[in-house]
Amino acid sequence: MRCVCVCVVVLVALGVRVNSFKFKELMDYVDKHQEEYVQTLRDWVSIESDSSDVTKRAELQRMMGVVEEKLRMMKGNVDVMDVGTQRLADGSIIPLPKVVTAEFGDDVNKHTVCVYGHVDIQPARREDGWATDPYNLTEIKGNLYGRGASDNKGPVLAWIHAVEAYKALDIELPVNVKFLIEGMEETGSNGLDALVEAQKDKFFSDVDYIIISDCIWKSTRPALTYGTRGNCYFSAQVEGPKQDLHSGVDGGAVIEPMTDLIGILDTLISASGQILIPGVADAVTNFTEEERKLYEQVGFNLETYKSTIGVDRLMYDNKVDLLAHLWRFPTVSIHGIEGAFSSPGTKTVIPAKVTAKFSIRQVPNMEPAVVEKQVTDHLHAVFERRKSPNKLKVNMIIGAKPWIADPKHALYEAGKRAVKRVFHVEPEMIREGGTIPIARTFQDVTEKYIIMLPIGGFDDGLHSQNEKISRYNYIEGTKLFITYLQEVSLIKEN
């Protein structure tokens, strides 16, 4: 009889633990406050926090102040951390926007998660092709249009609202939550690597897991992201005459720098997408059958994708091959040329100096230092064969490593459970073709496990005109984050 009583007590105790998550109350709270959430996002989008434009630096500083104030109003343990200064092209030095951190809960018996996000944005102007004012959040057919709505102000706010819901209902957080919000992600997270290193044994000392929601789904189904590509970003400068020349007078007297530049750029990649730089693809990990099966399960539609990006033809005619080349194979992209005449009209000028910008997305096991040498050696060899009197200078500006996680880790299993509870579907397991350098920094420096948990839609238009987040994703994403905190609390440590 005593044994039965003990079992009953244990079951009751377990039942209390299982049922302590007040799912319905929290979900109802989010639904009742969604207009407030949309208005807060509208307020945040109205701040032109463009980190690439130093003339907007005051607005960026104001944005960081708004984040700090929001977290203080929630009674978090808030701090602002200095990440140093930035030297501008004219030699002047200005302070970088401070990183905002906050802590909610310090129970040593609970897991601690750190949520990372950023509130700086890409440039946006109405005349670039926006249908609405990019800094006035506008709702059209359930979509909330505005610069930063999806990248990354909406997801940051969804996380803040998730914690806020627990506190408003006086429900104990199932895990300790820390926030780390920065304002320079779109320009390379200036100063953040050094901050993470300095805070390894301080802010990050009790962190168990790091969560990043600066990414998007690949289809209409929710997703968990387990990998991103890195990025080696280069400039190649060809310099010739001391000054710009007139083609009608001097065109036959010199080898034009632009001709040399176009000539060497043409040796980077073939028309079929093959990288022509010797050795670059040699270190790429083999595409496994297990990976192929994961890609086959992604609900990615080629026709929808073509329509979304506005093309009639893609380089690959099946889903798996296309996803593989978007996610786990390196690619070369040419982004622009400085010094070239690009304004409307005609102009018969030979520029004296032109600079191309191009990048190579990195994948495991590529090393930026090796790629830098391969690219530099290749371009100089090609240039030498041209026997040009001009001068070539090649620089690698960014050398960001790829990041990849184990999609079978308990952190991802918790994500699957949370997605299924909120959205009633199994999530897709995806990788990201872009680069989020801080993920690899977090992994290498803190040695904590990381998950990327997106709520943005595949058609949100990050970095382009008419960026948006759907009201559905924003609100249901808040519910997902609330539920995910509960699921993480149930992870058993090995």
Side-chain angles (χ1 to χ4, degrees):
M1 186 67 179
R2 180 174 179 274
C3 179
V4 172
C5 292
V6 170
C7 291
V8 170
V9 169
V10 171
L11 287 171
V12 169
L14 287 173
V16 169
R17 182 186 178 194
V18 171
N19 295 325
S20 62
F21 179 45
K22 298 180 180 178
F23 179 77
K24 187 176 187 306
E25 290 93 325
L26 287 160
M27 302 302 107
D28 287 346
Y29 181 88
V30 172
D31 285 333
K32 290 175 183 176
H33 289 80
Q34 63 173 286
E35 294 305 326
E36 175 188 323
Y37 296 164
V38 170
Q39 182 57 49
T40 304
L41 181 58
R42 181 171 290 110
D43 294 340
W44 282 31
V45 165
S46 71
I47 302 175
E48 200 169 343
S49 50
D50 177 1
S51 55
S52 69
D53 186 349
V54 294
T55 67
K56 302 292 194 303
R57 190 54 53 90
E59 282 290 274
L60 180 52
Q61 300 282 15
R62 182 163 75 94
M63 184 72 250
M64 301 311 297
V66 168
V67 174
E68 178 188 355
E69 181 183 11
K70 176 71 173 176
L71 293 169
R72 288 195 189 280
M73 288 176 62
M74 292 164 56
K75 308 300 182 185
N77 181 13
V78 181
D79 193 11
V80 290
M81 297 185 179
D82 192 352
V83 288
T85 58
Q86 178 182 6
R87 182 180 293 277
L88 305 181
D90 63 3
S92 61
I93 297 175
I94 60 174
L96 288 165
K98 290 181 171 58
V99 169
V100 179
T101 65
E103 302 178 25
F104 295 89
D106 58 0
D107 189 336
V108 296
N109 296 312
K110 294 180 179 179
H111 295 314
T112 298
V113 302
C114 174
V115 175
Y116 161 84
H118 70 90
V119 290
D120 62 314
I121 57 170
Q122 286 282 322
R125 300 180 305 168
R126 181 70 181 263
E127 54 266 35
D128 291 336
W130 281 75
T132 61
D133 180 350
Y135 300 107
N136 179 19
L137 191 75
T138 305
E139 185 165 7
I140 303 173
K141 296 181 179 179
N143 290 322
L144 305 167
Y145 290 90
R147 177 58 92 213
S150 185
D151 183 20
N152 183 230
K153 292 179 179 181
V156 167
L157 273 173
W159 271 114
I160 290 175
H161 292 146
V163 172
E164 199 173 39
Y166 277 100
K167 294 180 68 65
L169 294 173
D170 199 25
I171 299 173
E172 184 179 349
L173 280 166
V175 297
N176 305 313
V177 179
K178 292 187 174 186
F179 286 97
L180 190 152
I181 312 298
E182 67 153 321
M184 292 296 290
E185 191 274 344
E186 299 292 3
T187 58
S189 295
N190 313 51
L192 192 59
D193 284 1
L195 177 68
V196 173
E197 184 74 49
Q199 292 294 323
K200 175 182 177 181
D201 299 319
K202 298 174 185 176
F203 180 81
F204 292 100
S205 62
D206 59 347
V207 170
D208 297 297
Y209 310 115
I210 297 174
I211 308 170
I212 299 173
S213 296
D214 188 17
C215 41
I216 57 175
W217 301 348
K218 199 60 185 175
S219 71
T220 56
R221 277 177 57 192
L224 304 178
T225 305
Y226 66 94
T228 62
R229 293 192 295 186
N231 189 19
C232 286
Y233 196 103
F234 291 88
S235 70
Q237 181 187 90
V238 178
E239 185 172 4
K242 292 183 179 179
Q243 60 185 25
D244 289 354
L245 303 177
H246 189 300
S247 66
V249 177
D250 309 294
V254 298
I255 297 177
E256 300 176 10
M258 181 68 82
T259 302
D260 275 339
L261 188 63
I262 297 300
I264 65 173
L265 291 179
D266 192 45
T267 70
L268 296 177
I269 189 169
S270 73
S272 63
Q274 178 187 2
I275 297 177
L276 303 176
I277 306 162
V280 161
D282 291 352
V284 177
T285 56
N286 292 328
F287 190 31
T288 66
E289 188 60 31
E290 186 176 15
E291 276 185 276
R292 180 174 292 277
K293 289 178 180 178
L294 279 178
Y295 291 19
E296 288 172 348
Q297 294 169 13
V298 176
F300 179 77
N301 185 282
L302 293 180
E303 294 304 316
T304 299
Y305 182 68
K306 285 194 291 187
S307 175
T308 299
I309 66 175
V311 299
D312 297 324
R313 181 182 175 186
L314 298 168
M315 295 182 71
Y316 306 95
D317 59 6
N318 68 83
K319 175 177 70 176
V320 172
D321 285 346
L322 184 63
L323 290 177
H325 284 86
L326 288 174
W327 291 348
R328 59 99 61 228
F329 287 120
T331 55
V332 171
S333 299
I334 298 173
H335 305 291
I337 297 177
E338 287 185 11
F341 176 56
S342 59
S343 302
T346 58
K347 188 176 181 181
T348 58
V349 165
I350 301 172
K353 181 172 63 177
V354 286
T355 304
K357 300 174 182 179
F358 64 93
S359 66
I360 301 178
R361 294 290 177 173
Q362 309 293 285
V363 299
N365 293 321
M366 297 172 71
E367 287 294 331
V370 175
V371 173
E372 178 181 20
K373 185 176 188 308
Q374 291 167 334
V375 170
T376 303
D377 289 351
H378 170 71
L379 290 182
H380 278 291
V382 172
F383 193 76
E384 182 68 24
R385 291 195 294 270
R386 294 180 67 84
K387 300 187 183 301
S388 173
N390 297 324
K391 297 177 182 178
L392 171 67
K393 184 186 297 182
V394 181
N395 288 309
M396 187 173 78
I397 302 167
I398 298 172
K401 295 181 178 180
W403 165 80
I404 192 162
D406 178 6
K408 297 178 182 177
H409 188 275
L411 206 56
Y412 282 83
E413 294 302 319
K416 292 176 184 178
R417 294 193 300 271
V419 167
K420 194 165 185 179
R421 184 159 194 179
V422 174
F423 292 99
H424 311 294
V425 296
E426 292 284 347
E428 295 178 337
M429 305 303 294
I430 67 172
R431 289 164 73 162
E432 174 66 53
T435 304
I436 304 178
I438 196 59
R440 183 61 180 263
T441 299
F442 282 144
Q443 179 176 288
D444 291 347
V445 175
T446 71
E447 299 180 331
K448 310 297 183 180
Y449 210 86
I450 302 165
I451 185 173
M452 291 192 183
L453 186 60
I455 62 170
F458 74 97
D459 57 350
D460 278 358
L462 277 60
H463 292 201
S464 66
Q465 301 93 333
N466 302 314
E467 178 186 346
K468 60 85 178 171
I469 190 170
S470 73
R471 177 186 282 259
Y472 176 80
N473 282 45
Y474 182 40
I475 300 305
E476 298 306 305
T478 302
K479 297 177 183 178
L480 173 65
F481 293 161
I482 288 171
T483 308
Y484 187 62
L485 294 179
Q486 168 67 15
E487 294 298 340
V488 170
S489 74
L490 303 178
I491 294 177
K492 298 290 187 181
E493 293 289 354
N494 292 330

